[in-house]
Amino acid sequence: MTSQYHPETVEKDAQSFWEKHKTFETNTDQPAKRNDNYYCLSMFPYTSGNIHMGHVRNYTIGDVKSRIKKMQGHNVLQPMGWDSFGLPAENAAIKNKSHPAVWTRENIKHMRTQLQRIGFAFDWSRDFATCDPAYYRWQQWLFLQMYKKDLVYKKNAIVNWDPVDQTVLANEQVVNGRGWRSNALVEQKNIAQWFCRITSYADRLNNDLQTLEQWPEAVKTMQSNWIGKSVGAEVHFQIEGKTEPLTVFTTRADTLYGVTFMAIAADHPLALELAKSDDKIKAFANRCKQQSTAEADIQTAEKIGIATPLYAINPINQEKIPVWIANYILMSYGTGAIMAVPAEDERDHAFATKYNLPIQTVYDNEGRLLNADTHIGMRQEQASQAITASLKKSKHGTEKTTFRLRDWGISRQRYWGVPIPIIHCPHCGEVAEKEENLPVTLPENIDYRYGDPLLKNCEAFYKTTCPECGADAVRETDTFDTFFDSSWYYQYFISQGKDGICSIKNDQWLGVDLYIGGIEHAILHLLYARFMQKILFDLQLSEVSEPFTRLLSQGMVLKDGAKMSKSKGNVVSPDTLIKTYGADTIRLFVIFAAPPTQDLEWSDGAIEGCFRFLKRLWTFVDTHYKILIKNDQQGAFDSLSTNTQQLIIDLHKELYVIERDANHIHLNTVASGAMKLFQLIGKLQKQEDAQGHLREAVSILLRVLNPITPHITHALWQKLQLGENIAMAEWPQADQRILHAANQITIVMQINGKKKGMVTMHTDASESEVVNSLKSDPATSMQLDKHQKIKKTIYVKNKLINFVV
RNA sequence: GCCUCAGUGGUGAAAUUGGUAGACACGCUGGUUUUAGGUACCAGUGCUUAUGGCGUGGGGGUUCGAGUCCCUCCUGAGGCACCA
């Protein structure tokens, strides 16, 4: 009688076994050695309501690595939690006339059930959401420490303002310059907001990238470019009739002779002053105010400008050049003004052509300065130095290093977020909330059905007393950017808030040994988390200065060539797949179908193949149960037939490759390697003298497969009485003795680098032995005889021999 | 526009350091078994004008030898600071 593979039963059994035995709960308090600990963290999900294939893929990768590490004897910490504050909850609340808190908590419940059904080895006892006051209390505490050290401050910044809804809009809520709900023309509004001084850390964030040896180069390059350190000069241009000079930053001081106009932002102080008395300039500035604030839009928008009556004096040659206002200059970037060199800069060139401004050639064909007075004939490097030196001498400029990175705006004029713990007192001004009063709790008894949800309208929240003088005062009603919530959560999974935000104890687990998430977080989230760890380091709460030791940027799950999304209608639901095939098949598919770092194109067909593989495995164990259950026979390797020996050698060779790939997180080839093992076992089963080796071979296969398909292997492991809990079994290793038993090797013969034949040799054969062997073989000797003169022979031992003719 | 990455059969892909291109699967073709089947098993499957030639997005280069290194172009994807 044979049993059939019923994934649902098998998976529920395994999952309740793990729960009952607390297989994946981790004790982080014991003084374990740092090297024995392995912290594997996958980016926690936003609580959108559904786990999608991208999550399944992300968490399966982490789960496989975690389970392998556990089998290799490490003390593994793999937690999961919820990124639960943010905009979609408010949108859903308005749409469904519910409350963001209700929506969020229901979503968490559902998503947790979904994840548990997939069988991830998470330590669920550490589960938390960023909207839990127990969590954000420490976030507010951290903010207060930063406030004390002047690492947070308030300044004005531009937001998208919807004049009809009277609310601030996110960039994605602005569609073609209009509010997505009101359809009103969106305006730029300048309001006071909280900022973190991440720019003070720019150099450290940039330099420490070099220490991140286990990060992908692409991510490091992107971060470095984002930080954008540039060494150049600040140049002061005198404005006719003004005392204050117009200051610009340039990395190309050598092009100063080619400056034909100046361009300033529409909200540059000079422009604002001109707009007061000049209607045309005012109109232009208003037009710029309706422009998108997104960098991509600014860079691709049509470049427009307006002349001003102002003239600047070029400090190098005293030439009089016009000052223009241009929409491609940003006040928030550098000094909000540039010197335009149309001959050397494409954007300036386009602008000059459009407005008929002169174009002054800077270099001749040989790269030597033209029309450059005393600097004539210099090359770029020399010119840069010489011109900067003259500017310095005449006090019109100085060397300067700037960063593209801007300070991090963390204020949101939104309800569903962590309250910023500041109080505004009429007598004392801005006052920090006292630490013992934390958390400043977000009120949840707000009726979402009636209009404006902002905390500004919630008297019960904002009315308070000043911690300094006791007078009536009001709370800050801005909440935190959710990037702030997710910039330190990896700490909380360890400490659970027991020793404050974190303690040196956490360092036993840090930096995170493997951090896995989408490439879309390559810059912002990862930069903010790195910044925050440096703050914790400077506050002496941690001795670790980088949060993530190893980073894996997983590719996206695509369907029809595009990211799965509701709006594109190309979503595949994990729930449906689990119903049809079970969790193990889905897990095997996402691991097998593509390397973790590459995008994964969804395929309905391929998943069937994975299901069939698991069914075959189940049937194989079932069919050969009587042989496999016997624990007492294993013939000596040397006494086996050549064929059987070769199969066992191949098995261990494959095992060797699997282990190497597992270490490199090339998990797709771990899966295909397991399939190869299964093929070999099938062949082994047909060898009469191999029966005594089948049990060991199957035990190896089950252990290799267990991290990927933990449920079916759990069931088969118990069925074959190989142990109680395969999750705790030892990861199998290739037998060195068997590996070295192989002594035949195939050498490829090439002529001029093209493959012309092969020959089987004993290992480490010498060049002359190979040549002799080739000459004695009719097929290869014929190839060699075609060519009279052999100019050169290249012999790569145990691999190939190449004849150059 | 700027920064980053990717492109290999009909499809997903494989290929330590430059050294047998296409492992492992999907699909397809033919066969065997079964009452039947969408099952299982076996064989074949890059293209081609086939003892040879051509093949890793296009073009060029370095090398005895290039999917892998360099230059250039094309296409697609991600990010661009308030989506997360």
Side-chain angles (χ1 to χ4, degrees):
Chain A
M1 56 162 234
T2 54
S3 72
Q4 272 195 329
Y5 172 45
H6 291 298
E8 203 179 328
T9 327
V10 165
E11 291 174 1
K12 293 239 161 99
D13 282 355
Q15 284 162 15
S16 50
F17 178 94
W18 299 329
E19 204 189 332
K20 191 176 148 205
H21 292 85
K22 301 189 177 196
T23 305
F24 303 114
E25 284 189 20
T26 311
N27 180 1
T28 48
D29 293 330
Q30 67 188 18
K33 282 185 205 142
R34 177 66 189 88
N35 289 341
D36 291 340
N37 290 338
Y38 191 83
Y39 185 3
C40 177
L41 182 65
S42 293
M43 291 181 186
F44 63 172
Y46 175 69
T47 49
S48 63
N50 273 299
I51 291 297
H52 54 69
M53 286 310 295
H55 295 126
V56 173
R57 186 179 191 205
N58 188 165
Y59 302 151
T60 305
I61 294 165
D63 201 46
V64 171
K65 190 63 190 179
S66 293
R67 286 171 179 271
I68 291 173
K69 277 285 172 185
K70 194 175 180 72
M71 293 175 84
Q72 287 173 337
H74 288 82
N75 193 24
V76 174
L77 172 63
Q78 193 190 204
M80 184 44 65
W82 312 99
D83 185 16
S84 57
F85 273 131
L87 194 56
E90 297 202 36
N91 292 333
I94 293 167
K95 196 177 154 197
N96 307 330
K97 298 195 167 40
S98 73
H99 192 285
V102 174
W103 183 82
T104 302
R105 300 222 160 85
E106 277 172 6
N107 286 351
I108 290 175
K109 217 173 139 190
H110 179 231
M111 291 169 81
R112 189 189 293 120
T113 312
Q114 286 182 296
L115 291 185
Q116 284 169 341
R117 182 60 191 84
I118 307 171
F120 294 125
F122 293 135
D123 180 350
W124 284 108
S125 70
R126 291 167 189 275
D127 183 13
F128 76 90
T130 53
C131 62
D132 297 342
Y135 177 74
Y136 65 68
R137 165 209 167 125
W138 291 111
Q139 181 162 319
Q140 292 170 335
W141 181 87
L142 179 57
F143 176 89
L144 294 180
Q145 311 315 307
M146 292 172 75
Y147 184 74
K148 276 188 215 159
K149 301 225 158 186
D150 193 34
L151 286 166
V152 287
Y153 66 101
K154 239 176 168 178
K155 73 167 179 185
N156 278 355
I158 286 169
V159 293
N160 299 310
W161 179 253
D162 186 321
V164 171
D165 282 355
Q166 292 282 301
T167 181
V168 175
L169 299 178
N171 285 339
E172 70 160 12
Q173 294 176 310
V174 180
V175 182
N176 297 325
R178 290 174 181 273
W180 65 348
R181 256 191 279 276
S182 69
N183 205 33
L185 273 177
V186 170
E187 293 167 7
Q188 292 186 356
K189 196 175 172 184
N190 217 358
I191 59 172
Q193 312 208 57
W194 289 96
F195 281 83
C196 288
R197 289 194 202 278
I198 193 171
T199 51
S200 319
Y201 283 70
D203 247 328
R204 270 166 81 185
L205 288 166
N206 195 41
N207 294 338
D208 284 0
L209 285 171
Q210 288 166 16
T211 68
L212 299 174
E213 286 163 19
Q214 299 188 66
W215 276 42
E217 281 307 316
V219 175
K220 288 194 273 183
T221 312
M222 278 191 266
Q223 289 221 349
S224 184
N225 290 339
W226 183 262
I227 294 165
K229 183 173 184 168
S230 49
V231 179
E234 213 167 48
V235 188
H236 312 296
F237 286 70
Q238 218 55 56
I239 301 288
E240 273 193 343
K242 305 252 175 202
T243 47
E244 276 293 299
L246 177 59
T247 301
V248 303
F249 173 81
T250 179
T251 54
R252 293 292 307 276
D254 59 299
T255 63
L256 203 54
Y257 287 99
V259 177
T260 58
F261 65 100
M262 308 295 286
I264 62 174
D267 50 348
H268 189 278
L270 274 179
L272 294 176
E273 196 190 314
L274 288 167
K276 282 182 197 159
S277 54
D278 187 322
D279 287 346
K280 276 187 186 159
I281 288 177
K282 198 173 177 178
F284 181 81
N286 283 337
R287 191 174 160 190
C288 288
K289 268 195 179 175
Q290 308 217 325
Q291 192 175 268
S292 162
T293 51
E295 166 106 5
D297 295 332
I298 292 161
Q299 293 299 331
T300 48
E302 192 196 353
K303 286 167 190 48
I304 53 169
I306 188 167
T308 72
L310 301 177
Y311 282 87
I313 307 297
N314 188 333
I316 204 77
N317 58 9
Q318 317 313 315
E319 256 179 45
K320 220 171 110 175
I321 46 180
V323 177
W324 282 63
I325 300 171
N327 69 340
Y328 67 99
I329 310 301
L330 297 181
M331 196 54 219
S332 54
Y333 198 117
T335 62
I338 60 146
M339 56 179 229
V341 186
E344 294 288 314
D345 184 281
E346 272 182 47
R347 287 162 308 174
D348 296 345
H349 190 271
F351 194 86
T353 312
K354 179 165 179 174
Y355 291 104
N356 258 328
L357 292 158
I359 295 166
Q360 172 70 56
T361 311
V362 181
Y363 287 104
D364 66 16
N365 292 336
E366 271 144 33
R368 294 177 186 280
L369 271 187
L370 288 169
N371 311 312
D373 298 345
T374 54
H375 302 104
I376 206 149
M378 286 183 178
R379 291 185 183 280
Q380 191 180 326
E381 183 93 348
Q382 190 193 4
S384 238
Q385 283 172 14
I387 292 172
T388 308
S390 340
L391 288 171
K392 247 175 121 171
K393 208 170 160 192
S394 64
K395 300 216 158 54
H396 283 107
T398 126
E399 292 111 343
K400 172 132 189 177
T401 298
T402 62
F403 293 91
R404 205 186 82 98
L405 182 70
R406 310 200 293 259
D407 270 344
W408 174 17
I410 53 162
S411 273
R412 295 294 179 268
Q413 294 70 44
R414 300 245 166 75
Y415 162 69
W416 191 237
V418 178
I420 293 175
I422 292 286
I423 290 157
H424 303 283
C425 169
H427 311 294
C428 313
E430 191 180 279
V431 183
E433 179 59 279
K434 287 196 167 149
E435 285 178 21
E436 58 265 34
N437 292 340
L438 298 180
V440 175
T441 315
L442 185 71
E444 292 195 6
N445 58 342
I446 275 184
D447 193 339
Y448 232 76
R449 276 165 294 183
Y450 300 108
D452 198 336
L454 288 183
L455 290 174
K456 267 190 174 163
N457 298 333
C458 181
E459 209 180 88
F461 172 76
Y462 68 70
K463 261 185 100 168
T464 186
T465 50
C466 173
E468 297 284 328
C469 70
D472 285 349
V474 292
R475 288 194 184 281
E476 172 67 62
T477 54
D478 280 0
T479 51
F480 278 94
D481 173 14
T482 56
F483 269 128
F484 202 111
D485 309 356
S486 57
S487 64
W488 68 279
Y489 76 114
Y490 56 91
Q491 290 278 2
Y492 195 84
F493 277 130
I494 314 169
S495 68
Q496 300 279 289
K498 280 181 212 152
D499 302 302
I501 189 164
C502 65
S503 75
I504 299 289
K505 263 180 162 176
N506 278 21
D507 288 358
Q508 283 300 327
W509 291 88
L510 294 171
V512 173
D513 295 278
L514 178 62
Y515 191 44
I516 310 170
I519 185 73
E520 66 270 24
H521 293 295
I523 297 174
L524 293 178
H525 163 63
L526 289 171
L527 192 67
Y528 294 147
R530 293 183 58 222
F531 168 57
M532 218 50 100
Q533 183 61 34
K534 292 189 190 309
I535 302 271
L536 294 173
F537 179 90
D538 289 353
L539 291 170
Q540 295 180 331
L541 294 164
S542 175
E543 286 173 1
V544 174
S545 61
E546 284 290 340
F548 312 121
T549 305
R550 184 176 190 177
L551 176 73
L552 191 147
S553 288
Q554 131 235 6
M556 285 173 308
V557 181
L558 310 176
K559 197 178 179 220
D560 312 320
K563 191 174 173 174
M564 283 188 186
S565 74
K566 262 189 206 162
S567 58
K568 284 176 196 135
N570 59 350
V571 178
V572 174
S573 151
D575 292 351
T576 320
L577 294 171
I578 285 169
K579 253 183 210 151
T580 318
Y581 303 106
D584 278 339
T585 298
I586 318 304
R587 295 173 59 115
L588 179 58
F589 170 74
V590 296
I591 291 300
F592 176 64
T597 52
Q598 228 172 81
D599 286 348
L600 182 150
E601 176 68 34
W602 180 258
S603 147
D604 291 318
I607 202 159
E608 282 281 351
C610 293
F611 188 44
R612 283 208 293 265
F613 172 76
L614 294 182
K615 277 197 284 191
R616 280 202 300 273
L617 175 67
W618 184 273
T619 312
F620 182 89
V621 171
D622 207 67
T623 314
H624 305 289
Y625 182 73
K626 279 188 183 158
I627 298 160
L628 291 172
I629 197 75
K630 278 190 215 159
N631 199 10
D632 54 351
Q633 32 172 300
Q634 253 205 48
F637 181 78
D638 294 338
S639 64
L640 297 169
S641 65
T642 320
N643 280 349
T644 304
Q645 280 191 359
Q646 192 55 51
L647 286 171
I648 291 173
I649 289 168
D650 287 348
L651 199 130
H652 282 268
K653 271 189 182 167
E654 194 52 49
L655 194 52
Y656 178 83
V657 173
I658 286 172
E659 180 162 22
R660 187 198 70 202
D661 290 350
N663 289 339
H664 295 156
I665 324 185
H666 294 168
L667 302 181
N668 55 323
T669 51
V670 172
S672 67
M675 291 175 184
K676 285 181 202 173
L677 289 184
F678 188 49
Q679 281 185 0
L680 289 168
I681 288 172
K683 288 179 189 164
L684 212 51
Q685 188 271 322
K686 290 184 180 116
Q687 298 286 324
E688 261 181 51
D689 63 339
Q691 302 306 303
H693 291 263
L694 271 184
R695 182 177 168 87
E696 170 63 10
V698 169
S699 139
I700 288 173
L701 171 63
L702 290 179
R703 281 177 287 161
V704 164
L705 218 39
N706 175 60
I708 303 171
T709 57
H711 309 91
I712 187 173
T713 46
H714 174 87
L716 295 176
W717 188 256
Q718 287 192 343
K719 188 171 174 174
L720 292 175
Q721 293 169 26
L722 285 159
E724 199 197 11
N725 189 357
I726 189 174
M728 314 274 266
E730 209 177 305
W731 179 256
Q733 282 192 311
D735 187 329
Q736 289 298 321
R737 220 187 59 239
I738 293 175
L739 283 182
H740 290 122
N743 54 9
Q744 297 283 298
I745 232 144
T746 306
I747 308 272
V748 169
M749 179 187 77
Q750 295 184 334
I751 290 174
N752 287 345
K754 292 197 172 174
K755 182 182 152 193
K756 294 289 172 185
M758 284 184 286
V759 63
T760 302
M761 299 295 299
H762 63 89
T763 40
D764 299 338
S766 69
E767 182 176 332
S768 56
E769 283 175 299
V770 174
V771 172
N772 286 337
S773 188
L774 287 169
K775 281 183 178 161
S776 62
D777 181 279
T780 47
S781 65
M782 189 190 81
Q783 287 289 340
L784 281 174
D785 291 344
K786 283 187 194 167
H787 306 282
Q788 297 302 316
K789 279 186 198 156
I790 291 169
K791 280 199 249 170
K792 198 171 155 191
T793 309
I794 286 131
Y795 178 58
V796 183
K797 205 166 154 190
N798 295 335
K799 265 199 181 134
L800 62 79
I801 185 156
N802 186 16
F803 299 101
V804 185
V805 297

